[in-house]
């Protein structure tokens, strides 16, 4: 039986992206590959609302975690003071990362399910103490979405650089460097629609100026090295630091073309509609999601009703044709599961997803009227048409 993957990355990929992976690996210094790499860098800049001739787009072999590291280590030394807006598992990861470099780490920790209040960020930045702050746009562990536009309005008038983890947002949520974001990054496997293995991001001018005055404490994630590569590729002169992942960058370029063909705005709207349709289905079945007021287009973290154990639920849903993800917040992990709804998701995936949840709940003894969630999800789709 076919199973569909509805986890928050990796996701189901388009056939043209998968076929691109299967081409013979050409020389990483060939003209042909250089032109693919250049296109991918240019489109990366566009998707982040950046300008490839001034800002620095980068595509580096590695996962989103490398993106996290590269986006911060270039600005910090042993004495730096940093602020982490921590809305879940990936906020904790930033704290862990920073702890390798500096002891001066402060956090804002909204309660589980809540986004940060921009006023709290302002209060911190008004102290003028922080070299850098990080915000997870959408925390994949909870589905909480932070208001980056508002936060950037505050940080850009301060000396604090704003680094945004857009791993669970870019390509499906609005995120624009022109708001005043200094560095933003994602990974290939989520809403960018290519298999895992690439850290993809952009550094703005303020970040570049700061970076050029520093020498990072790491080597592979030294973005000054990658700046030379990106500039060389963009100027058609070539550039090498570490051998690029030829097949994956080729596949990413195909996926970025798919995104451009649909149009980024249309793609974000499609994600918004599919997410709200799924949420309507969940609400009708009496299920509560963790995120209280800010809803992500990409992921929903859902409490299980009636004491159902998440591992049992996940096995049932898989038997029913859909693979979901388990919870990541340790204290509540057995009580919730996560649905990834990004990439090429459309009405069919919504129906398959909500239908599988109905059946898996029934298998676990929770009384749900057949088709109730489906009907509510369908209502939203009908209304949009
Ligand atoms: N940040 C966020 C918001 C993520 O969702 C993830 C991955 N789920 C990461 C960082 C880390 O990315 P990776 O697993 O690709 O290293």
């Amino acid at each position: 039986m076919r199973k569909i993957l509805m986890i928050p990355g990796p996701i189901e990929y388009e056939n043209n992206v998968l076929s691109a992976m299967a081409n013979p690996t050409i020389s990483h210094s060939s003209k042909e590959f250089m032109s693919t790499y250049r296109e991918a860098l240019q489109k990366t800049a566009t998707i982040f609302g950046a300008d490839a001739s001034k800002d620095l787009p980068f595509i580096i072999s590695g996962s989103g975690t490398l993106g996290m590291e590269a986006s911060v280590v270039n600005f910090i030394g042993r004495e730096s003071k940093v602020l982490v807006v921590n809305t879940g598992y990936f906020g904790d990861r930033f704290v862990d990362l920073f702890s390798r470099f500096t002891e001066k780490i402060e956090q804002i920790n909204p309660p589980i399910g809540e986004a940060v209040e921009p006023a709290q960020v302002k209060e911190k930045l008004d102290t003028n103490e922080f070299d850098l702050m990080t915000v997870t746009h959408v925390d994949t562990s909870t589905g909480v979405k932070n208001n980056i536009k508002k936060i950037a309005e505050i940080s850009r008038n301060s000396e604090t650089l704003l680094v945004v983890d857009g791993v669970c947002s870019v390509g499906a949520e609005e995120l624009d460097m022109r708001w005043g974001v200094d560095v933003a990054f994602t990974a290939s496997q989520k809403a960018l629609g290519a298999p895992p293995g690439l850290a993809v991001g952009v550094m703005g001018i303020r970040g570049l100026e700061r970076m050029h005055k520093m020498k990072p404490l790491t080597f592979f994630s030294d973005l000054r090295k990658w700046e030379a590569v990106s500039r060389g590729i963009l100027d058609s002169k070539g550039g090498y630091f570490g051998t690029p992942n030829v097949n994956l960058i080729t596949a990413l370029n195909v996926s970025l073309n798919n995104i451009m063909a649909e149009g980024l705005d249309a793609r974000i709207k499609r994600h918004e509609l599919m997410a709200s349709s799924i949420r309507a289905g969940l609400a009708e079945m009496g299920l509560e999601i963790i995120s209280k007021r800010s809803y992500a287009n990409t992921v929903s973290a859902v409490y299980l009703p009636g004491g159902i154990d998440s591992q049992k639920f996940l096995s049932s849903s898989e038997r029913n044709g859909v693979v979901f993800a388990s919870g990541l917040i340790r204290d509540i992990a057995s009580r919730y599961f996560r649905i990834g709804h990004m990439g090429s998701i459309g009405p069919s995936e919504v129906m398959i997803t909500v239908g599988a949840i109905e059946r898996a709940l029934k298998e676990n003894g929770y009384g749900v009227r057949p088709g109730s969630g489906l009907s509510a999800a369908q209502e939203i789709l009908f209304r949009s048409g």
Side-chain angles (χ1 to χ4, degrees):
M1 188 182 83
R2 181 184 296 187
K3 289 178 199 161
I4 76 161
L5 190 57
M6 295 298 291
I7 66 174
I11 60 168
E12 297 277 341
Y13 300 114
E14 291 289 354
N15 286 340
N16 62 352
V17 173
L18 294 174
S19 332
M21 292 289 292
N23 288 327
T25 306
I26 57 175
S27 163
H28 63 286
S29 50
S30 63
K31 281 211 163 61
E32 195 181 339
F33 177 65
M34 222 191 311
S35 123
T36 304
Y37 199 166
R38 183 173 58 246
E39 281 184 30
L41 285 167
Q42 281 162 341
K43 278 172 262 186
T44 295
T46 305
I47 281 177
F48 281 87
D51 176 348
S53 67
K54 297 195 205 93
D55 303 312
L56 171 69
F58 57 86
I59 301 174
I60 308 176
S61 293
S63 73
T65 306
L66 176 74
M68 296 174 81
E69 183 170 309
S71 298
V72 300
V73 293
N74 291 281
F75 309 117
I76 52 174
R78 298 281 177 213
E79 292 304 314
S80 301
K81 186 159 179 186
V82 297
L83 176 67
V84 176
V85 170
N86 187 343
T87 40
Y89 185 89
F90 292 99
D92 287 343
R93 179 166 292 194
F94 265 124
V95 174
D96 192 2
L97 195 173
F98 281 128
S99 71
R100 317 293 155 116
F101 303 97
T102 175
E103 286 173 2
K104 298 178 185 163
I105 308 167
E106 278 195 28
Q107 300 184 50
I108 303 177
N109 297 89
I112 290 178
E114 298 281 353
V116 71
E117 286 294 338
Q120 273 183 290
V121 173
K122 180 155 185 352
E123 205 178 297
K124 288 278 185 198
L125 297 198
D126 279 349
T127 63
N128 277 329
E129 287 174 5
F130 297 98
D131 297 290
L132 172 82
M133 71 178 290
T134 62
V135 185
T136 314
H137 191 186
V138 171
D139 202 298
T140 325
S141 61
T142 54
V144 166
K145 177 160 72 182
N146 284 303
N147 189 335
I148 302 299
K149 196 173 183 180
K150 283 258 155 61
I151 294 169
E153 273 168 24
I154 299 162
S155 65
R156 74 174 183 213
N157 292 314
S158 77
E159 288 301 306
T160 307
L161 292 180
L162 172 61
V163 174
V164 176
D165 174 344
V167 172
C168 197
S169 73
V170 173
E173 307 272 3
E174 215 191 338
L175 175 63
D176 197 315
M177 295 292 286
R178 287 165 291 198
W179 293 339
V181 175
D182 295 300
V183 189
F185 63 90
T186 183
S188 47
Q189 76 269 21
K190 300 208 183 210
L192 287 189
L198 295 173
V200 180
V202 173
M203 184 184 289
I205 290 167
R206 193 164 80 140
L208 283 163
E209 281 168 5
R210 181 92 60 100
M211 174 173 86
H212 291 149
K213 292 185 196 137
M214 315 262 316
K215 183 170 183 185
L217 295 162
T218 60
F219 186 61
F220 189 71
S221 44
D222 180 346
L223 282 185
R224 297 169 317 165
K225 303 268 191 202
W226 292 104
E227 182 184 15
V229 174
S230 290
R231 292 278 171 247
I233 299 293
L234 286 165
D235 297 342
S236 303
K237 293 188 185 119
Y240 164 79
F241 179 42
T243 306
N245 194 326
V246 172
N247 295 57
L248 207 37
I249 291 175
T250 306
L252 174 70
N253 192 40
V254 172
S255 189
L256 295 174
N257 280 336
N258 292 343
I259 295 174
M260 296 299 171
E262 180 178 9
L264 187 57
D265 290 347
R267 184 179 170 90
I268 293 170
K269 287 218 165 60
R270 170 170 58 80
H271 278 83
E272 205 174 301
L273 175 63
M274 299 311 147
S276 58
S277 173
I278 289 176
R279 280 198 305 271
L282 296 170
E284 187 61 32
M285 291 184 275
L287 305 192
E288 193 196 330
I289 65 171
I290 293 182
S291 184
K292 298 287 184 294
R293 278 187 288 253
S294 61
Y295 303 114
N297 294 342
T298 48
V299 61
S300 295
V302 190
Y303 284 117
L304 284 159
I308 298 173
D309 175 74
S310 65
Q311 288 310 321
K312 286 203 177 121
F313 175 82
L314 291 174
S315 306
S316 297
S317 53
E318 187 162 350
R319 271 197 304 278
N320 278 280
V322 182
V323 178
F324 296 119
S326 54
L328 277 178
I329 300 284
R330 202 181 309 134
D331 291 350
I332 54 171
S334 64
R335 295 200 283 124
Y336 82 102
F337 73 105
R338 295 174 304 139
I339 311 167
H341 30 81
M342 59 187 127
S344 27
I345 179 170
S348 306
E349 285 79 11
V350 169
M351 290 297 133
I352 291 171
T353 298
V354 176
I357 295 172
E358 286 189 3
R359 295 191 298 283
L361 288 173
K362 177 179 174 287
E363 267 187 33
N364 284 277
Y366 178 75
V368 53
R369 190 165 49 78
S372 55
L374 285 167
S375 166
Q378 189 78 293
E379 279 288 335
I380 300 288
L381 298 175
F382 268 40
R383 259 188 258 154
S384 78

